[in-house]
Amino acid sequence: MMEGGNAPPTPDAPPPALVQKIGNTTYEVSLHFSTTSRETMSDKINRLIRRELDAS
């Protein structure tokens, strides 16, 4: 399932972080990638959307 350059970063690379300031609050989100995952981010998002639609 890991196609199209969706490989996780190397283990010694620092985890990516997203920083967004909204008003007076700064949010920092760190990401973690499993080295054993067999599901791409696109696969995961699609699965979550399908689950949400099935629950409606």
Side-chain angles (χ1 to χ4, degrees):
M1 282 195 181
M2 299 287 283
E3 67 252 347
N6 292 321
T10 58
D12 57 345
L18 306 170
V19 178
Q20 178 72 43
K21 185 170 183 174
I22 302 174
N24 292 328
T25 305
T26 301
Y27 298 91
E28 182 175 335
V29 179
S30 297
L31 306 174
H32 166 76
F33 297 94
S34 171
T35 57
T36 59
S37 176
R38 296 177 45 86
E39 184 177 44
T40 66
M41 183 59 87
S42 293
D43 293 339
K44 184 175 288 234
I45 292 170
N46 287 329
R47 177 177 50 81
L48 292 171
I49 291 170
R50 281 192 301 270
R51 248 191 221 171
E52 187 67 26
L53 291 172
D54 289 343
S56 300

